[in-house]
Amino acid sequence: MVPSLDTMSSEHLPLLPMESCPYLGMTDAKLEPNGGTGRKPLRSYIWDTWDKSPEERKFLGKLDACLLTYAALSYFSKYLDQQNITNAYVSGMQEDLGLHGNELNYITTAWTCGYVIGQIPSNILITRIRPSIWIPIMEVIWSALTMVLATAKNFKTLVIIRFFVGLAESTFYPAIQYVIGSWYKGDELGKRACIFHTTSAIGPMFSGFLQAGAYTGLNGRYGLAGWQWLFIVDGIITLPIAFLGFLVMPDMPHNTKPSVFYTEAQLQIARKRMEDAGRKPPGKYTKKKVLSFFSTWHIYTLVPLYILFNNGSNPSTSMIFWLKSFNTPGHTVYTVSQTNIYPLGINAVQVVTTLIYAWWSDAVQARWPPMILAGTWSMVTGIVLAATPLYTHITRRWIFYYFTSCQGGLSGLILAWANELTGYDSEKRSFVIACCNTFAYVFQAWLPIVLFPQVEQPRVQKGTIATVFINFGMMSFAILTLLLQRRDARRAKAEQAAWNESDSVPQTEYVNDVASTGSKD
């Protein structure tokens, strides 16, 4: 008699058809009859490796040190390079290059177009090309192009260079999320995905201080303006991080070879961990496989969820323009340095909330609760900003500007959810993750221009109100994903019960039969 679902341990879970029950990929803990999980030591909630075997703990320590360190530093440099265009714009580039109207929006859109074009092809390639080569090479390219921005003399040059910077950077985030999802289990994944994502907030914080320092310390040095030095310094910071990637970036568990970082025994542990979690290694691309990407519900809920999340904190862009708007000819209220530094509280709030969401999500083994809290918080923030006049109740507006990215840390949790729900098919997992980020930026290429045009900054009333509804939509898709996940769990449990009642059906025959049909929605 095969063990019932209620008493199965994690080593039995891969025997079930994962496409019929993606919920089982969510946790590797023992399932209890009441649907909850068994108790774990308190120390495991503080850091998940503390209750694992010494061998597994040592392996995860090495993996965290290599993969997470490189991912965090590279993502930091990516956001440093991504944010610097706005810092440069408000620090003299606008006047020096004669930029006007919505041209900053168009420069940003050029980067977004390159970013959108490159993501899906890159994530398809990453299942065939070693990540330890592909990702650092592209980082070298985007750091070089960032330094070239300092030579730009007009709007057209900025647009062209920013497009290629976006194309090079498009390879990084979805590829890293896919790689992280190939090494970590459910109770580890949310923290890792969010820890390195916090650098998306730290990068712009550092960029603000860097621009302030470049403007005051390097402005005019060797005939270059402070905003030009910002691009050069950003590129110089990024290059050594890229070279570090060639040294420490791992590939996938199935093709990483023993080295000074990992022994063969540790790599065997890694492969067994992913087998237990139902996370499959890459297979062959076939027409049937590609069509199967679209025959289940995952892409139809996770992609809209990510699109709405990604466009749910756009009011955060307004604070820097709000501060600058206080200045009038002959009267400076906020200096260039203050205009760059004061909005960094937005990023600080994002860092703190991201880490809280990550630990909370892994502790309860559910991705949706932080999404509901963050979405509600963002809706309240949008309502308050829309109702508050620009130049009265200054303190209130300042505080709520700081809350505008309280949902900005959900990216890691959404993609962790995607890694878990599609873990039974490596190619599908890679494709869904890339689609989430790609189509989010497809909307980001034009939606901020419509809702937050530069000529309407800093009031942007219609954009602030629209963001309230965007966050409501994000929460709705989170709940829809949860309901479909639970429905599949019920179906799989019913299949398990039918299996248990049919002792005459061989186990391998049953598994092959259900795997061939799956759960098509």
Side-chain angles (χ1 to χ4, degrees):
M1 190 76 169
V2 177
S4 69
L5 180 64
D6 291 337
T7 59
M8 287 176 68
S9 61
S10 61
E11 58 265 28
H12 292 106
L13 296 183
L15 297 176
L16 291 172
M18 291 301 295
E19 60 268 46
S20 295
C21 189
Y23 179 74
L24 295 177
M26 184 67 187
T27 179
D28 301 295
K30 181 178 179 180
L31 297 177
E32 298 295 335
N34 63 1
T37 59
R39 290 189 178 184
K40 299 194 297 182
L42 177 61
R43 64 180 182 273
S44 70
Y45 293 102
I46 300 172
W47 188 246
D48 47 60
T49 66
W50 289 356
D51 67 336
K52 291 180 167 62
S53 68
E55 295 80 8
E56 189 174 2
R57 187 163 58 247
K58 184 177 180 180
F59 159 69
L60 287 173
K62 290 182 179 180
L63 182 63
D64 289 341
C66 292
L67 178 53
L68 291 187
T69 298
Y70 172 66
L73 288 173
S74 292
Y75 205 42
F76 163 80
S77 73
K78 175 184 175 297
Y79 259 81
L80 192 65
D81 296 342
Q82 185 174 332
Q83 179 70 21
N84 57 24
I85 197 73
T86 301
N87 291 119
Y89 183 89
V90 300
S91 302
M93 186 176 74
Q94 177 186 14
E95 293 77 12
D96 289 352
L97 301 188
L99 303 178
H100 56 84
N102 286 326
E103 288 185 339
L104 176 60
N105 288 118
Y106 298 136
I107 294 168
T108 303
T109 299
W111 177 92
T112 304
C113 290
Y115 197 69
V116 164
I117 291 171
Q119 288 185 71
I120 293 178
S122 172
N123 246 37
I124 291 174
L125 286 172
I126 207 70
T127 64
R128 298 297 181 266
I129 299 175
R130 291 172 56 192
S132 61
I133 295 176
W134 177 250
I135 296 175
I137 282 178
M138 300 309 293
E139 189 169 6
V140 169
I141 293 173
W142 92 57
S143 63
L145 289 171
T146 297
M147 289 188 282
V148 172
L149 280 168
T151 68
K153 302 298 183 185
N154 51 54
F155 167 72
K156 181 178 179 181
T157 304
L158 286 171
V159 167
I160 293 172
I161 298 174
R162 286 296 288 179
F163 171 82
F164 286 104
V165 169
L167 189 64
E169 290 185 0
S170 70
T171 61
F172 181 77
Y173 188 66
I176 285 289
Q177 288 286 7
Y178 170 74
V179 172
I180 287 178
S182 300
W183 287 93
Y184 292 103
K185 296 170 121 179
D187 62 338
E188 307 157 352
L189 187 53
K191 287 188 285 293
R192 270 70 175 191
C194 288
I195 284 172
F196 100 86
H197 183 75
T198 58
T199 55
S200 68
I202 295 172
M205 290 174 68
F206 191 82
S207 182
F209 286 110
L210 189 63
Q211 178 58 63
Y215 188 86
T216 57
L218 293 173
N219 189 34
R221 184 72 60 89
Y222 302 115
L224 297 176
W227 63 266
Q228 291 174 303
W229 277 111
L230 176 64
F231 294 130
I232 294 171
V233 173
D234 284 355
I236 291 172
I237 290 172
T238 304
L239 274 175
I241 298 173
F243 292 133
L244 176 67
F246 289 112
L247 178 63
V248 303
M249 176 73 189
D251 294 311
M252 314 293 277
H254 73 280
N255 65 355
T256 298
K257 299 185 182 301
S259 65
V260 295
F261 299 109
Y262 313 107
T263 65
E264 179 58 33
Q266 289 172 333
L267 293 174
Q268 290 294 339
I269 291 174
R271 293 166 192 139
K272 179 63 166 59
R273 280 162 42 84
M274 291 300 96
E275 181 183 342
D276 291 345
R279 219 75 52 79
K280 303 297 183 183
K284 292 183 178 180
Y285 274 105
T286 63
K287 180 180 179 181
K288 182 178 180 181
K289 176 184 281 288
V290 172
L291 291 176
S292 74
F293 297 168
F294 305 96
S295 62
T296 56
W297 55 265
H298 307 97
I299 197 168
Y300 303 109
T301 66
L302 290 168
V303 172
L305 171 61
Y306 200 84
I307 290 171
L308 292 163
F309 141 75
N310 195 62
N311 289 279
S313 58
N314 281 325
S316 64
T317 63
S318 298
M319 187 176 186
I320 195 169
F321 294 103
W322 179 61
L323 294 173
K324 189 175 182 179
S325 70
F326 281 87
N327 296 337
T328 57
H331 181 64
T332 299
V333 177
Y334 297 109
T335 66
V336 170
S337 294
Q338 290 172 329
T339 302
N340 280 282
I341 291 173
Y342 287 165
L344 299 183
I346 296 172
N347 305 88
V349 170
Q350 182 179 330
V351 169
V352 173
T353 54
T354 298
L355 297 177
I356 291 172
Y357 301 155
W359 259 258
W360 175 18
S361 177
D362 276 357
V364 300
Q365 280 293 275
R367 305 305 179 201
W368 62 271
M371 298 176 195
I372 302 304
L373 172 64
T376 303
W377 190 353
S378 291
M379 289 179 66
V380 172
T381 297
I383 292 170
V384 171
L385 287 175
T388 302
L390 277 178
Y391 304 111
T392 61
H393 302 92
I394 301 298
T395 301
R396 180 200 302 171
R397 193 169 193 88
W398 197 300
I399 291 172
F400 277 88
Y401 270 134
Y402 278 2
F403 290 161
T404 50
S405 281
C406 66
Q407 55 88 277
L410 297 178
S411 174
L413 295 187
I414 297 173
L415 297 184
W417 209 359
N419 269 307
E420 292 156 345
L421 291 171
T422 60
Y424 58 87
D425 186 326
S426 183
E427 286 73 27
K428 179 179 181 178
R429 181 163 62 89
S430 173
F431 181 75
V432 170
I433 290 171
C435 283
C436 285
N437 216 43
T438 295
F439 288 100
Y441 278 91
V442 166
F443 279 81
Q444 188 169 309
W446 59 270
L447 193 60
I449 297 176
V450 174
L451 297 181
F452 293 85
Q454 187 181 329
V455 293
E456 294 182 15
Q457 292 283 12
R459 184 59 178 159
V460 285
Q461 183 81 341
K462 66 181 179 184
T464 305
I465 294 172
T467 301
V468 174
F469 293 96
I470 288 172
N471 279 286
F472 178 79
M474 182 270 293
M475 292 189 292
S476 300
F477 273 96
I479 294 299
L480 178 59
T481 302
L482 173 67
L483 294 176
L484 291 171
Q485 181 185 25
R486 289 181 172 176
R487 184 204 63 181
D488 282 1
R490 291 193 299 270
R491 287 182 177 180
K493 190 170 184 177
E495 290 173 354
Q496 177 70 56
W499 184 12
N500 291 343
E501 293 173 1
S502 181
D503 291 342
S504 60
V505 179
Q507 174 178 303
T508 54
E509 179 182 336
Y510 177 86
V511 172
N512 289 337
D513 178 58
V514 294
S516 66
T517 57
S519 174
K520 306 302 182 185
D521 303 293

